[in-house]
Structure formats: structure tokens, C-alpha cells
Amino acid sequence: GGGRGEVSKEKKTALALTLFDMTAKMCLRDNLLHGDLHGGNVLYSLDPQDERVMVLDAGLTTALEREWMGPFGSLLKALSSGDAPGVAEKLLLFNTASGPVDADLLIREVAEVMGAFKKEGRSNNMGAMVGSVLLVVQKCGVSLRGDVALTITTMSVSEGLIRQLDPSFDYIKTGLPYFLRFRPGPLDASEAPRRELSPLGPRGPPGGQREDV
């Protein structure tokens, strides 16, 4: 996005932080995400003192159902802190597939993916790591809730735009304070509103308790 002319490294760094701040607050504070976020829909001023970012074409938006914002915050926190078992637990919580799910395989392979990114020093590349985790999700027969999948996708696209501006941007280090500050509702999956799962995924036993996947 933007206009003509050269943009300084300092300007790009400031814009990257502004874009991250905008996306994080939209998702975590306001629960409203732009459903078509790409470079052509992001504008900025060439004025070195103007760090504003303007987003166009907000006709397509998405939001998490309110009761799932807490568990989603837990997923982001687990991703940011390298908590692979926590990531696998939340992904299973978001599953809507009626078929069999290989939960043990999911837990093992999520741990392998996140461990590999950490070993290679790429843990701060959230988009690439999440992309690899989502491939594991498909492999194991997990089908994520639509609002969760779209929110993850939008945040990954946002990271791509941020890295175009500042390749050294540390998404994890910058993001963790946001995840802690704006986390809505319960962070523990055991506190999630499991009674809401029945119409969305495999039906649980009477009383609204969800069977283990």
C-alpha cells in the first residue's frame, strides 16, 4: 500500500509496529477482523512523522463467537510461549469434525513442529509455524471452527505484511504482552463453555459435557 517515493527503514519499522498494534487490538480487544487484509487494502502516508495506517474495503469482516474468545486467547498464548501440549489441547477443543481424530498423533507432531522451529531459531516466525501446525491439523483429521480458522488466517496475513515492512520484526516478543493484556474470558480450556460444543461438533453426553476426542 502507500504512494510513490522511498520509505526509510525507520518509517517502515514504525509502520510495522502500527500495523501489528492495529491487528492485535482488532482481534483481542475489539473481536473484529478484516476478512480481506492484503497490501492493496493498506494505505499509509509518506510523511515521516505520520505513523497512521489506513485500512480499506472493510465490507468483509469476521469475529469470534464471544464464548470462544477466551480459549482462542489461550491458543495464542500457548503458541507464543512455546507450549506445544497447550496448542494441541486448544486445537482439539476447536475441532468440529464428526469423524475420527488421531489426538495422540496431533500432540506428537505439534510438539515436533514447534520444537523444530525453536531449534532453528525461527520461533518468532509465527505465520510459518502456524502454517506448519495447520498442516498437522489436516493430517490428523481435525476440522477447526470456521471463525477460528479465519481469524488465524487473517493474523498470519497480517504478519506477512508486517515482515515486508520489517523482516526482523519479532512477532512473539511483541505479541505476548498483547495476548496477556487483552485476553478475554477464561484462559483455561476446562473453563470454556463446553455446552456450546454439541451443535458444532461431535455430540457429547447429556448435560452438555463434551466427550474426549
Side-chain angles (χ1 to χ4, degrees):
R4 297 177 180 177
E6 293 296 324
V7 180
S8 68
K9 181 179 178 180
E10 292 75 15
K11 173 75 171 181
K12 288 182 178 180
T13 299
L15 287 171
L17 186 58
T18 299
L19 185 57
F20 176 85
D21 182 74
M22 177 194 73
T23 306
K25 287 179 177 177
M26 277 199 305
C27 174
L28 301 172
R29 183 189 66 187
D30 304 327
N31 189 27
L32 179 68
L33 277 177
H34 196 296
D36 189 24
L37 190 63
H38 56 76
N41 280 337
V42 178
L43 300 179
Y44 57 85
S45 170
L46 291 176
D47 182 348
Q49 304 304 317
D50 188 350
E51 298 176 2
R52 292 177 299 171
V53 170
M54 291 150 278
V55 180
L56 307 180
D57 194 14
L60 178 61
T61 59
T62 187
L64 289 166
E65 290 190 18
R66 184 71 191 178
E67 60 267 28
W68 291 104
M69 291 176 65
F72 185 77
S74 291
L75 173 64
L76 295 179
K77 182 174 181 289
L79 284 165
S80 298
S81 60
D83 177 11
V87 170
E89 178 188 7
K90 301 307 177 294
L91 292 173
L92 290 171
L93 184 67
F94 296 136
N95 177 47
T96 64
S98 57
V101 170
D102 193 335
D104 291 337
L105 179 63
L106 177 72
I107 293 168
R108 288 198 308 272
E109 295 212 0
V110 166
E112 288 177 8
V113 165
M114 294 181 66
F117 270 80
K118 182 177 181 179
K119 184 177 180 180
E120 296 167 8
R122 296 195 297 145
S123 294
N124 67 332
N125 193 334
M126 177 79 86
M129 184 170 70
V130 168
S132 297
V133 168
L134 291 181
L135 290 177
V136 172
V137 165
Q138 287 185 315
K139 177 180 178 180
C140 297
V142 173
S143 180
L144 297 178
R145 292 173 50 88
D147 53 352
V148 169
L150 186 53
T151 299
I152 291 174
T153 300
T154 300
M155 295 187 76
S156 295
V157 170
S158 173
E159 182 184 2
L161 295 175
I162 289 168
R163 288 191 180 279
Q164 288 179 34
L165 292 164
D166 182 4
S168 65
F169 190 88
D170 192 329
Y171 205 86
I172 302 297
K173 183 179 179 180
T174 308
L176 191 55
Y178 284 78
F179 304 150
L180 295 174
R181 177 183 176 188
F182 293 120
R183 62 189 185 191
L187 276 180
D188 190 331
S190 65
E191 299 176 16
R194 294 173 182 266
R195 65 183 181 279
E196 299 294 335
L197 277 171
S198 293
L200 298 168
R203 292 192 175 276
Q209 296 298 313
R210 183 175 184 265
E211 293 177 338
D212 292 336
V213 178

